[in-house]
Amino acid sequence: MRTILVVGGGYAGFYAAWRLERKLRRDEARVVMVDPRPYMTYQPFLPEVLAGSVEARHAAVSQRRHLKKTKIISGTVVRIDHASRTVTIRPAEGPAYPLRYDVIVVTAGAVTRKLAIPGVADQAIGLKHVEEAVAIRDQLLTAFDRASTLPPGPRRRRLLTVTFVGGGFSGVEGFGELLSLAQSLVRRYPELDPAELSFHLVEARDRILPEVSGKSGRWVVRSLERRGAHVHLGTLVRSAEDGHVVLSTGEEFDSDLIVWTAGNAANPMVHNHTDLPIDDRGMLVVRADLRVGTADAPVPDAWGAGDDAAVPDLAAGDGRTTVPNAQHAVRQGKHLARNLLADLRGRRTEDYVHHSLGTVATLGLGRGIFEWRFVVIKGFPAWLMHRGYHVLAVPSWERKVRVLAIWLAAALFGRDIVSLASVRHPRRAFVTGGDPELTGAVPEPAHAVPEPAHAVPEPAHAVPEPAHAGPEEPADAVPEPAHAGPAGS
């Protein structure tokens, strides 16, 4: 029986495997998925995880719960040798080993683009994974507790200063939601003055949200500034050493929390460790029907989709490739499965074409923006559209019900403002026994702060980067009616 190997369990990989296992005939082929995480992250919910509007586990969709016929390997593909139909897998435990396959589906996804800016690697947190969103939220909540014990001054200002770098959908949505949380939280701390909150959004381009019109983007900037935020357009981060942020405009300030959302980079495994064709950006070369290769030179038994694939955008019709966002990844995963099945059964494949039906973003509790062609909806109605769409779009009725229940509870009782940052030191209470002299003496375990698990550790030379904190790739859009699948950040 043939083996179909799916590399990566994000949007494209998850939906491709889900469709394949439901449509494959008995004994026609078996599906194997390799991914370092046991879940698919529903990224449109990450900004609401930041704000406590969605429980962290509800933004993660279990692979084993839904892919019941797929063999799931917890590990990382570190090399693809398609000439011999073999991959090298580094499992979660034990030595690396080879695995043979007959057909490969490469959906490893992009990674966070990191630039060689002093201090960023040591100070910043990304916003691609659930554990990052939880860490950001816990750090903000802990900062409020610490600031409330300090007198007014530089240390307190630093704790209450938040910096987001990158003005794409992920950055703007996360920024808006965290600002909304902070402004509601400060009312519960009579020791603190709301004027002490300082939120900075830094974007290298002269506008934010490139997926919406310039007029709508300017409205978002004005909306954030009316809420007290500082939006720095056409500005680069020069340094962030020890939390001291230096901007290209000359402005400097100390920030205890720095969130990096300045775009995507090619997956280093795809870029450096495969014999499949890649383009000059390190992306997998893919035809319009999602088969790897070109129109004249297709690669047999190799398919690709999602953020690490350069899929021709036939809807745009100008030679561009589809933007790396959820709306395309979901539909490409489903389309890839249909074409792969057609190819196995000797039928014609069809090209992938998707026409966007608009973009929608949350800007904080009760605030949002929706745009489709010349139709623009702002404020509370757009926020309701965002929530309504995504509660229906998240996979499985179990997740829909859980998320809706959290939203209803929050509407009645408000957000939960408890920080669980102490889970990073699970042995502290046990080791110290409550002795205040020993409280700070327990070393943090190596696994205490979760790190993003990419397909392979990124080598320093993996992807040539521009010398500035550039924009984030488009990451949020409303594709089809809500039952069709998720879109978003």
Side-chain angles (χ1 to χ4, degrees), residues 338-422:
R338 286 195 295 269
N339 276 352
L340 197 159
L341 288 169
D343 186 64
L344 287 177
R345 296 165 186 173
R347 300 201 300 263
R348 282 185 57 188
T349 60
E350 297 180 359
D351 289 345
Y352 170 78
V353 184
H354 173 66
H355 297 272
S356 174
L357 295 182
T359 56
V360 66
T362 174
L363 303 174
L365 190 64
R367 301 175 175 91
I369 185 168
F370 167 81
E371 182 176 279
W372 178 70
R373 296 183 181 177
F374 302 108
V375 178
V376 179
I377 300 174
K378 304 171 183 176
F380 187 73
W383 177 77
L384 282 180
M385 293 171 66
H386 181 273
R387 281 205 163 185
Y389 174 81
H390 286 301
V391 76
L392 293 176
V394 65
S396 86
W397 280 102
E398 172 256 345
R399 277 293 180 267
K400 301 179 201 300
V401 172
R402 288 183 186 274
V403 170
L404 186 58
I406 289 290
W407 283 342
L408 292 175
L412 291 174
F413 306 111
R415 292 169 169 147
D416 194 330
I417 59 170
V418 175
S419 168
L420 294 179
S422 59

Side-chain angles (χ1 to χ4, degrees), residues 137-462:
R137 169 180 163 79
D138 284 345
Q139 186 167 331
L140 180 77
L141 295 175
T142 302
F144 270 77
D145 288 331
R146 295 167 63 189
S148 67
T149 66
L150 296 172
R155 180 57 185 154
R156 192 155 103 171
R157 286 198 301 271
R158 175 189 172 111
L159 287 168
L160 298 177
T161 299
V162 176
T163 305
F164 272 67
V165 183
F169 264 93
S170 181
V172 171
E173 288 190 313
F175 184 81
E177 286 286 350
L178 204 63
L179 175 61
S180 178
L181 171 64
Q183 290 177 332
S184 73
L185 192 63
V186 74
R187 294 195 292 268
R188 299 178 182 269
Y189 288 83
E191 307 91 342
L192 303 178
D193 184 345
E196 293 180 282
L197 288 179
S198 184
F199 272 65
H200 297 264
L201 177 62
V202 183
E203 169 54 45
R205 290 176 291 196
D206 59 358
R207 58 165 299 182
I208 61 174
L209 298 178
E211 300 82 2
V212 303
S213 67
K215 183 178 180 180
S216 294
R218 289 190 294 273
W219 177 86
V220 173
V221 170
R222 291 195 301 271
S223 174
L224 293 173
E225 289 178 337
R226 283 196 298 268
R227 294 161 60 188
H230 307 278
V231 181
H232 307 268
L233 299 180
T235 304
L236 311 178
V237 175
R238 296 300 189 195
S239 174
E241 289 186 286
D242 298 323
H244 183 70
V245 179
V246 180
L247 303 181
S248 60
T249 58
E251 186 173 355
E252 300 182 23
F253 52 87
D254 290 327
S255 180
D256 197 58
L257 176 57
I258 302 172
V259 183
W260 188 266
T261 60
N264 297 322
N267 191 296
M269 186 276 292
V270 174
H271 187 251
N272 299 313
H273 305 289
T274 176
D275 58 351
L276 294 171
I278 59 172
D279 64 13
D280 55 0
R281 298 176 300 158
M283 310 291 282
L284 197 66
V285 176
V286 176
R287 307 190 326 168
D289 64 354
L290 305 182
R291 194 192 305 268
V292 174
T294 63
D296 299 326
V299 178
D301 303 322
W303 304 79
D307 292 356
D308 63 349
V311 180
D313 190 349
L314 300 185
D318 55 4
R320 288 183 294 180
T321 57
T322 58
V323 294
N325 63 17
Q327 73 160 298
H328 282 300
V330 169
R331 282 152 188 79
Q332 287 171 10
K334 295 177 180 180
H335 193 88
L336 185 153
R338 286 195 295 269
N339 276 352
L340 197 159
L341 288 169
D343 186 64
L344 287 177
R345 296 165 186 173
R347 300 201 300 263
R348 282 185 57 188
T349 60
E350 297 180 359
D351 289 345
Y352 170 78
V353 184
H354 173 66
H355 297 272
S356 174
L357 295 182
T359 56
V360 66
T362 174
L363 303 174
L365 190 64
R367 301 175 175 91
I369 185 168
F370 167 81
E371 182 176 279
W372 178 70
R373 296 183 181 177
F374 302 108
V375 178
V376 179
I377 300 174
K378 304 171 183 176
F380 187 73
W383 177 77
L384 282 180
M385 293 171 66
H386 181 273
R387 281 205 163 185
Y389 174 81
H390 286 301
V391 76
L392 293 176
V394 65
S396 86
W397 280 102
E398 172 256 345
R399 277 293 180 267
K400 301 179 201 300
V401 172
R402 288 183 186 274
V403 170
L404 186 58
I406 289 290
W407 283 342
L408 292 175
L412 291 174
F413 306 111
R415 292 169 169 147
D416 194 330
I417 59 170
V418 175
S419 168
L420 294 179
S422 59
V423 299
R424 302 179 191 176
H425 309 274
R427 299 182 61 252
R428 174 171 287 170
F430 174 75
V431 172
T432 64
D435 188 338
E437 295 296 326
L438 298 176
T439 299
V442 181
E444 184 174 337
H447 61 274
V449 180
E451 294 289 344
H454 306 315
V456 67
E458 182 171 2
H461 63 279

